[in-house]
Amino acid sequence: MTRVLFVCLGNICRSPLAEGVFRHYVRKAGLEDHIEVDSAGTGSWHVGEPPDRRMRRTAEAHGISLDGQRARQFEKEDLERFDHIFAMDKENLQDILYLDDGDAYGHKVRLFREFDPEPGDYQVPDPYYGGPQGFENVFQIVDRTARTLLHRLVEEYDLELRQ
Ligand code: 4NP
């Protein structure tokens, strides 16, 4: 089992979307017994809350459900538990690495948009304080990056896709 974790600040917008979209493609490929997916936030403000309503609606408009997700805070143990940790922006990346006090897990942590064919500044913009277009923009970024990421993991672990 390969364990994948997506991390943003609040765990109510970007990383829950990444979790939902990536899981969608994992299931579509029949790989749910091989790849486990989760998300977390570096901050604690929204712990226990469902994803932001605007993010849920945007996801639903594209056929992706974020139902059942609840925000949790990234913890030190996640560095050990997960095989791949994908940060939505550079601040998230820094905050994750700050918890790696023995410098043992840095190789597992990278920016999610390293896998984006159009990476821009390599960060998923925080849509929280913006308008609806920001959420659709985040969806487009996350959707194409999640697909590319899954292909890369399938290659890396030599996984067999369902026909
Ligand atoms: P996220 O967005 O990191 O994509 O979940 C945010 C949600 C809430 C806050 C910041 C970012 N906040 O400061 O409350």
Side-chain angles (χ1 to χ4, degrees), residues 7-16 41 45-46 52 54-55 88-89 92 124-129:
V7 181
C8 64
L9 179 59
N11 194 211
I12 55 168
C13 295
R14 295 166 292 175
S15 62
W45 311 281
H46 298 283
D52 185 285
R54 298 164 295 175
M55 196 75 265
M88 295 295 124
D89 65 31
N92 309 146
V124 182
D126 187 345
Y128 192 66
Y129 293 107

Side-chain angles (χ1 to χ4, degrees), residues 93-160:
L93 183 75
Q94 244 184 356
D95 291 342
I96 294 165
L97 291 176
Y98 182 76
L99 293 176
D100 181 19
D101 37 27
D103 284 335
Y105 301 108
H107 62 283
K108 297 182 176 183
V109 190
R110 44 214 302 205
L111 285 169
F112 177 59
R113 286 190 80 184
E114 277 186 39
F115 298 90
D116 188 346
E118 304 163 55
D121 69 352
Y122 290 89
Q123 307 188 85
V124 182
D126 187 345
Y128 192 66
Y129 293 107
Q133 194 49 46
F135 287 85
E136 178 59 27
N137 182 44
V138 165
F139 183 87
Q140 295 301 330
I141 292 170
V142 166
D143 186 57
R144 64 176 185 252
T145 305
R147 278 189 272 170
T148 311
L149 174 61
L150 182 59
H151 286 130
R152 293 284 288 274
L153 291 180
V154 164
E155 279 174 18
E156 182 178 342
Y157 293 98
D158 203 15
L159 299 172
E160 206 162 308

